[in-house]
Amino acid sequence: MKKRILIAALTAAMASSIFGVTVNAAERELNINWLSSRSASESAILAIQDIAKQYQEENPDLDFNFEIENISDRTAYLQKLKILAASDELPEWFDSDPDTWFADIVADGKAYSFEDLYKELGMYDQIFPISKEYARLSDGSLNLMTLQCNTEYFFYNKDLFEQAGITETPKTFDELLADCKLLQDQEIIPIAMGGDWPILRYFAQVPFRLTGNEYIENAVSGEGSFGEEAGLKGAQFIQDIAQYFQEGWSSADYDTMIDLFASGQAAIMYNGTWALDQADMIGEDGNIKDNMGYFTMPTYSDADVTTATDFFANSGIGTAIRTDAVDDEMKAWMKYLLEHYADASLSYNQLPSVMPDEETMQSLPKVYQQIIEDVSNVKEYAKCWDVVIDSALVEPLEKETVILALGQETPEEWAANMDEYVKNQK
């Protein structure tokens, strides 16, 4: 879907005062085509559109062409993005994860440094640390702007837990499996599952507890193997827990997972804090509803190398700006966007990548203050498998993991297949 917004931008006097340049107002224009993998209804998109409208009202003298093309199907999005890159036709803005493909784009000088841009605009210290660190490439460079500040939790329905006789949330993976059995015995769907990425999060948790991010980093680079002990234990866990997903889960989409949990048919849903609004978990007071709760990633064993306060904290897919599209007009727009983004994002119940001011922070509902505290306490955040692996291997990884979870191959077969995919990609 394409949405076209024609907006006016900053006055020539403002541009001159901020960046020390003199521009003829009659010649001022800025064209941005944003190829986005986000849904057109995603909070980040809506927030930026609101800012664009406000920008238009305040600045009527710049011809600003801002066009968003939303392709929420990941495979279709990546296919188009790579075709454009290969033909040297990248749009001014485009979404990407900090994967090996994007690293090549950066190496070719085609994506502007947000390390430099944030500092030049005086915004570097206003960006949540996780929202910068999550988007960095393995060499430490920062060429992506993220738009969220998220943690991921196991959300649960307190009424269904009580119905199954569960009096406290699980602290270990063994306790989680035992609770799922109690729920299933009461003919309650223990876990809602759907979409491509959630299954990978379940799989990643045991290896993360045992090795931090070392297992997945070594496996996707080919320096290690998916068949290492931590991976095989994770594979066994995914087969153990998959029996508690709803019937037909392997063909269910993300919206189905949300609906099962939000309607009270399933007791648990693993998701990010962006889903608080999607799953109707926020009450009129802005806090999580009384019958809803959440718990963090359980621990695995005494051999864990990560702590209970370490888990998935992330900022979603990033947005790059094509290097040759960055001029004074782009910088003026980016400064305005970043200065207004926190309030706009919070209006859609999404924690932004830009820190709210202290007064706003203190007035946030308790659930959002807790999320910010949880993000701040993470010492090592778990890396998303579908982000660190080469983008060409995301689909095979998801396919093989579903086959494994369905019990149609052994953990050893899964690992051997994934090792072969990585080898052939080199």
Side-chain angles (χ1 to χ4, degrees):
M1 177 188 300
K2 288 189 175 182
K3 289 193 174 181
R4 188 171 183 82
I5 310 169
L6 296 178
I7 56 179
L10 293 168
T11 62
M14 182 176 291
S16 176
S17 64
I18 296 175
F19 300 110
V21 297
T22 302
V23 185
N24 186 332
E27 298 175 352
R28 295 176 64 230
E29 65 175 350
L30 178 60
N31 295 302
I32 297 177
N33 295 283
W34 181 8
L35 182 64
S36 179
S37 63
R38 298 170 171 89
S39 165
S41 61
E42 186 172 318
S43 297
I45 296 288
L46 298 176
I48 290 176
Q49 287 177 336
D50 287 349
I51 296 170
K53 292 175 183 177
Q54 182 177 322
Y55 196 54
Q56 178 183 23
E57 293 172 359
E58 295 182 12
N59 305 279
D61 66 332
L62 176 67
D63 180 16
F64 190 178
N65 229 2
F66 191 60
E67 184 177 278
I68 308 174
E69 181 178 0
N70 303 97
I71 306 177
S72 56
D73 179 274
R74 185 184 182 111
T75 301
Y77 174 79
L78 290 173
Q79 182 180 28
K80 178 161 186 175
L81 179 64
K82 291 181 179 181
I83 289 173
L84 291 173
S87 58
D88 202 24
E89 296 179 346
L90 283 170
E92 288 82 6
W93 285 18
F94 57 95
D95 291 350
S96 180
D97 287 314
D99 56 17
T100 53
W101 177 86
F102 184 69
D104 290 338
I105 294 294
V106 173
D108 290 339
K110 296 180 179 178
Y112 198 81
S113 169
F114 271 93
E115 190 90 28
D116 295 339
L117 186 60
Y118 286 150
K119 290 177 180 178
E120 183 175 353
L121 300 180
M123 295 297 296
Y124 188 83
D125 292 337
Q126 308 310 121
I127 310 298
F128 277 110
I130 187 64
S131 300
K132 290 178 289 193
E133 298 310 310
Y134 181 76
R136 290 188 188 277
L137 292 169
S138 58
D139 66 0
S141 57
L142 178 62
N143 295 77
L144 291 167
M145 169 183 66
T146 57
L147 298 172
Q148 303 170 17
C149 177
N150 298 312
T151 54
E152 294 181 6
Y153 297 120
F154 288 84
F155 296 102
Y156 71 100
N157 185 306
K158 293 181 179 179
D159 294 338
L160 295 181
F161 266 43
E162 182 179 354
Q163 185 178 327
I166 302 170
T167 57
E168 60 182 13
T169 56
K171 301 297 188 296
T172 69
F173 287 109
D174 284 344
E175 290 176 2
L176 174 61
L177 291 170
D179 287 346
C180 286
K181 179 65 166 61
L182 291 173
L183 289 160
Q184 193 175 69
D185 288 346
Q186 293 296 314
E187 298 185 349
I188 299 168
I189 298 172
I191 297 175
M193 171 58 66
D196 298 327
W197 61 266
I199 187 73
L200 299 180
R201 294 293 206 277
Y202 279 90
F203 200 152
Q205 292 181 24
V206 169
F208 175 69
R209 282 288 177 240
L210 291 172
T211 74
N213 292 303
E214 182 179 324
Y215 165 77
I216 191 60
E217 289 173 339
N218 289 343
V220 301
S221 68
E223 296 178 6
S225 168
F226 279 94
E228 292 174 2
E229 181 181 8
L232 295 180
K233 287 182 175 179
Q236 184 59 59
F237 172 70
I238 202 66
Q239 289 190 328
D240 291 341
I241 203 166
Q243 63 185 305
Y244 299 117
F245 302 158
Q246 80 274 12
E247 185 176 350
W249 67 267
S250 61
S251 59
D253 60 15
Y254 178 81
D255 289 340
T256 298
M257 178 178 74
I258 291 284
D259 291 343
L260 279 171
F261 181 75
S263 64
Q265 297 178 68
I268 298 171
M269 175 186 67
Y270 183 84
N271 214 326
T273 46
W274 59 83
L276 285 167
D277 199 43
Q278 297 171 351
D280 193 28
M281 287 184 277
I282 297 297
E284 292 183 1
D285 63 352
N287 278 302
I288 195 165
K289 292 180 177 177
D290 291 341
N291 69 323
M292 299 290 182
Y294 55 90
F295 55 93
T296 57
M297 184 192 299
T299 59
Y300 182 68
S301 72
D302 292 339
D304 290 359
V305 301
T306 57
T307 69
T309 57
D310 295 329
F311 41 83
F312 282 100
N314 56 61
S315 291
I317 196 166
T319 299
I321 303 181
R322 200 182 69 223
T323 300
D324 62 4
V326 179
D327 57 12
D328 291 321
E329 300 298 351
M330 181 70 79
K331 290 176 182 178
W333 157 244
M334 290 303 302
K335 185 172 180 65
Y336 187 94
L337 171 64
L338 292 171
E339 287 178 341
H340 292 81
Y341 186 69
D343 287 344
S345 181
L346 285 167
S347 72
Y348 288 98
N349 293 324
Q350 174 185 271
L351 278 177
S353 54
V354 183
M355 296 178 188
D357 60 44
E358 188 61 31
E359 182 179 353
T360 301
M361 195 90 78
Q362 294 300 320
S363 67
L364 290 175
K366 183 178 178 181
V367 63
Y368 290 106
Q369 293 191 37
Q370 184 62 53
I371 291 167
I372 291 173
E373 181 179 341
D374 288 344
V375 169
S376 301
N377 287 335
V378 172
K379 298 296 186 294
E380 181 174 8
Y381 66 90
K383 292 187 176 181
C384 305
W385 286 16
D386 53 333
V387 172
V388 297
I389 198 169
D390 189 285
S391 56
L393 298 182
V394 171
E395 189 174 2
L397 173 60
E398 292 168 347
K399 181 191 70 175
E400 289 290 336
T401 301
V402 169
I403 292 172
L404 170 69
L406 291 171
Q408 296 174 0
E409 64 184 15
T410 66
E412 290 77 13
E413 290 170 335
W414 172 86
N417 289 342
M418 286 309 307
D419 283 344
E420 190 67 19
Y421 282 123
V422 171
K423 177 181 177 182
N424 292 337
Q425 188 66 20
K426 298 301 179 183

